[in-house]
């Protein structure tokens, strides 16, 4: 497999894919490492995870460079992600000793619950935030006492492989975290089929997520899914329009729009539509697209030539109200685009995963909610209004799992994250995620 820098098209790495046999070896190693990892004193397991987190923090520049060269993420964002990986690992190191069971009043004795680790878990991650998505799964999986086999997206594996090495350097015992790199259809699917893998935690497309659900059914294998989105950014006429418009480009163009939470549908109340559009276009003009190694760059290229072609299927010939500039020369560049197409256009409904946003007018609160929920997806979204009661009514009515009011920032490792409808199953982050990496055991002690 050849990896190219998406900003320059230069070959940056060549490697051999893992095979199904390699997956079996990794699962066997994870299984063998399980009993000792699970039996380790919680304080010791937490200490090792903290060391791992610190090791990542010591290698932020190296990890960021790998991410930028491999997937085109601007270097500033990549550094932020590398620091966030360390923070996520610290958070779950802290959770090791805090995921407590309960005692329940019953007649004739006491009743106690335990959170038992599942055993070997299979972690499958996408290419859009490679190391960050890996940490969202490694943290809770290991904290809960499981051992893991992690399969990153085969086109952006470099930072994840390095994180696997850093785990070993930090003293995480051999076999606790294993990384295998290869195609989803063989290497990833083996994790679904392998009888010793007790759970699959998947982040990726809804189409593949559906296949995994079918694959896991045979063994009633535990499965969590973080899938696609078409999130709505709802701007009411009584909002601080300047603020809403200034924040709107980042909410959809960050990471070149390759973000499951991208607010790729902006819903604007009709009476404020023209003013908002003017402000939005002005803000988008300031969104610099260029060399991802330049710290001033807001947006880099798309990840691969194939993905660029996929995005262009939606945007070639699209009637836009604003189209930005892209650098000339090599690289998988796509300009930022704001469009106001007919509502029936597939671009208003399907996840494009590129730097394009549709703006849709609405009449009133009920209309905004109707349009927002007219989607198979339900991952994220925002509401902008200065009327607090309206904000509460609207967020409660939105069919989505991860929302924000007067902000587009809704993802934090200490708060639950996940989707309604076809955006997923289960939650990541916060103490809630630990329930997805453990079985709840109930024991009655007769007295
Ligand atoms: P993808 O579904 O193509 O691939 C995701 C991962 O699954 C990759 O590692 C891939 O190799 C593997 N895979 C593919 N087919 C498989 C199979 N048959 N069996 C097992 N594994 C298989 O998704 P992608 O293109 O890498 O990522 C983009 C998608 O991910 C978008 O839809 C995006 O919205 C979604 N995403 C969701 C979240 C979230 O938290 N909800 C976060 C990031 C990305």
């Amino acid at each position: 497999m050849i990896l190219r820098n998406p900003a320059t098209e230069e070959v940056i790495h060549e490697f051999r894919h893992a095979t199904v046999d390699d997956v079996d070896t990794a699962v066997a190693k994870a299984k063998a490492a399980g009993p000792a990892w699970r039996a380790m004193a919680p304080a010791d397991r937490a200490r090792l995870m903290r060391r791992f987190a610190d090791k990542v923090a010591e290698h932020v520049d190296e990890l960021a460079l790998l991410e930028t060269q491999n997937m085109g993420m601007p270097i500033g964002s990549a550094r932020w992600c590398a620091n966030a990986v360390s923070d996520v690992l610290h958070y779950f190191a802290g959770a090791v000793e805090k995921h407590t069971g309960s005692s329940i009043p019953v007649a004739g004795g006491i009743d106690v619950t335990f959170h038992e680790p599942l055993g070997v878990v299979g972690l499958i991650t996408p290419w859009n935030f490679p190391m960050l998505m890996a940490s969202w799964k490694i943290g809770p999986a290991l904290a809960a006492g499981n051992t893991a086999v992690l399969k990153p997206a085969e086109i952006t594996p470099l930072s994840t492989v390095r994180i696997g090495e850093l785990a070993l350097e930090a003293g995480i015992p051999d076999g606790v975290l294993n990384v295998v790199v290869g195609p989803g259809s063989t290497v990833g699917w083996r994790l679904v089929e392998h009888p010793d893998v007790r759970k699959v935690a998947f982040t990726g497309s809804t189409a593949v997520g559906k296949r995994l659900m079918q694959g896991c059914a045979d063994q009633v294998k535990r499965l969590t899914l973080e899938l696609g989105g078409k999130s709505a950014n709802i701007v009411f006429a009584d909002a601080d329009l300047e603020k809403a418009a200034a924040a709107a480009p980042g909410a959809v163009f960050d990471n070149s729009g390759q973000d499951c939470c991208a607010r790729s549908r902006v819903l604007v109340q009709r009476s404020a539509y023209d003013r908002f559009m003017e402000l939005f276009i002005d803000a988008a003009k300031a969104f610099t697209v260029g060399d991802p190694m330049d710290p001033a760059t807001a947006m880099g290229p798309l990840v691969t030539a194939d993905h660029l072609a996929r995005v262009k299927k939606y945007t070639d010939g699209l009637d836009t109200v604003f189209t930005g500039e892209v650098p000339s020369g090599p690289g998988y560049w796509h300009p930022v685009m704001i469009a106001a197409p007919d509502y029936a256009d597939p671009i208003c409904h399907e996840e494009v995963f590129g730097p394009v946003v549709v703006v849709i007018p609405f009449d009133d609160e009920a209309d905004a909610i109707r349009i927002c929920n007219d989607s198979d997806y339900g991952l994220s979204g925002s509401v902008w209004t200065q009327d607090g009661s309206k904000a509460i009514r609207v967020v409660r009515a939105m069919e989505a799992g991860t929302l924000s009011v007067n902000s587009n920032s809704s993802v934090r490792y200490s708060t639950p994250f996940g989707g309604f409808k076809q955006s997923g199953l289960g939650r990541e982050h916060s103490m809630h995620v630990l329930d997805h990496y453990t079985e709840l055991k109930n024991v009655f002690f007769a007295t």
Side-chain angles (χ1 to χ4, degrees):
M1 173 93 185
I2 289 178
L3 302 178
R4 288 179 191 278
N5 181 330
T8 62
E9 300 184 34
E10 285 160 3
V11 173
I12 52 166
H13 198 74
E14 283 185 60
F15 67 100
R16 177 187 72 80
H17 276 152
T19 63
V20 166
D21 285 346
D22 294 327
V23 180
D24 288 356
T25 304
V27 172
K29 282 188 74 175
K31 191 176 177 186
W37 183 245
R38 174 191 171 138
M40 187 180 283
D44 291 338
R45 199 186 319 140
R47 193 171 297 113
L48 281 178
M49 287 190 64
R50 275 192 208 101
R51 261 193 230 152
F52 181 15
D54 287 339
K55 214 20 129 186
V56 169
E58 287 162 20
H59 290 79
V60 161
D61 288 344
E62 181 193 350
L63 289 165
L65 187 61
L66 288 174
E67 206 80 312
T68 297
Q69 290 177 337
N70 195 173
M71 69 86 51
M73 181 184 290
I75 191 73
S77 307
R79 276 207 194 95
W80 182 92
C81 283
N83 279 304
V85 169
S86 175
D87 290 346
V88 168
L89 294 173
H90 270 298
Y91 177 85
F92 285 106
V96 170
E97 295 174 283
K98 302 186 186 81
H99 191 221
T100 54
S102 55
S103 73
I104 301 164
V106 291
I110 55 168
D111 195 281
V112 178
T113 64
F114 299 91
H115 295 285
E116 304 288 13
L118 297 167
V120 179
V121 294
L123 315 176
I124 302 178
T125 53
W127 51 258
N128 62 329
F129 287 97
M131 63 179 149
L132 194 59
M133 296 297 105
S135 72
W136 290 13
K137 298 189 184 335
I138 296 169
L142 268 49
N146 303 291
T147 54
V149 179
L150 166 58
K151 193 208 88 65
E154 57 275 31
I155 56 173
T156 57
L158 298 183
S159 56
T160 305
V161 169
R162 186 68 186 117
I163 282 173
E165 291 171 351
L166 293 175
L168 288 173
E169 289 174 28
I172 300 284
D174 193 29
V176 169
L177 174 63
N178 307 272
V179 181
V180 284
V181 183
S185 56
T186 53
V187 170
W189 190 252
R190 182 64 184 148
L191 292 172
V192 175
E193 285 187 322
H194 200 299
D196 287 336
V197 175
R198 294 292 173 82
K199 176 219 165 89
V200 171
F202 173 79
T203 299
S205 61
T206 295
V208 173
K210 288 178 184 178
R211 232 172 291 151
L212 263 54
M213 257 182 121
Q214 288 165 344
C216 286
D218 245 8
Q219 298 169 34
V220 196
K221 187 167 288 191
R222 305 310 184 243
L223 176 68
T224 42
L225 300 171
E226 293 293 347
L227 307 176
K230 188 75 183 176
S231 298
N233 187 357
I234 305 176
V235 183
F236 284 94
D238 65 5
D240 181 333
L241 293 183
E242 275 78 14
K243 246 188 181 170
V252 62
F253 302 144
D254 265 354
N255 210 29
S256 306
Q258 304 163 135
D259 181 344
C260 55
C261 290
R263 271 56 164 178
S264 52
R265 294 185 295 159
V266 179
L267 278 45
V268 185
Q269 193 156 18
R270 214 176 286 277
S271 54
Y273 186 90
D274 290 344
R275 176 68 185 136
F276 178 84
M277 192 64 107
E278 221 173 86
L279 293 166
F280 189 14
I281 291 169
D282 276 352
K285 282 181 189 158
F287 206 85
T288 53
V289 178
D291 177 7
M293 285 304 295
D294 180 345
T297 291
M299 192 183 108
L302 298 193
V303 68
T304 56
D306 283 352
H307 187 58
L308 177 62
R310 186 183 166 275
V311 171
K312 277 169 155 280
K313 277 195 188 145
Y314 285 98
T315 60
D316 272 351
L318 180 70
D319 196 8
T320 65
V321 293
F322 174 72
T323 298
E325 304 282 323
V326 290
S328 53
Y332 311 130
W333 304 101
H334 191 290
V336 304
M337 286 182 173
I338 301 174
D342 190 273
Y343 186 65
D345 193 311
I347 205 171
C348 291
H349 306 277
E350 295 174 14
E351 185 184 48
V352 180
F353 229 51
V356 54
V357 59
V358 294
V359 186
I360 303 167
F362 68 84
D363 292 317
D364 54 20
E365 198 175 312
D367 200 27
I369 292 165
R370 181 187 60 76
I371 298 170
C372 167
N373 292 343
D374 181 24
S375 175
D376 289 337
Y377 294 116
L379 185 56
S380 200
S382 316
V383 179
W384 294 80
T385 173
Q386 304 202 51
D387 177 342
S389 301
K390 180 158 64 186
I392 293 169
R393 285 194 303 272
V394 174
V395 289
R396 293 301 305 271
M398 288 169 80
E399 294 171 347
T402 316
L403 300 175
S404 51
V405 175
N406 294 329
S407 161
N408 298 316
S409 159
S410 51
V411 184
R412 287 168 187 79
Y413 55 78
S414 55
T415 62
F417 171 76
F420 282 25
K421 302 192 282 189
Q422 294 189 26
S423 283
L425 199 62
R427 290 293 176 270
E428 293 202 299
H429 290 337
S430 76
M431 297 298 281
H432 289 284
V433 68
L434 295 169
D435 292 338
H436 294 299
Y437 284 92
T438 49
E439 292 283 9
L440 188 61
K441 182 182 282 174
N442 185 62
V443 184
F444 170 68
F445 294 86
T447 52

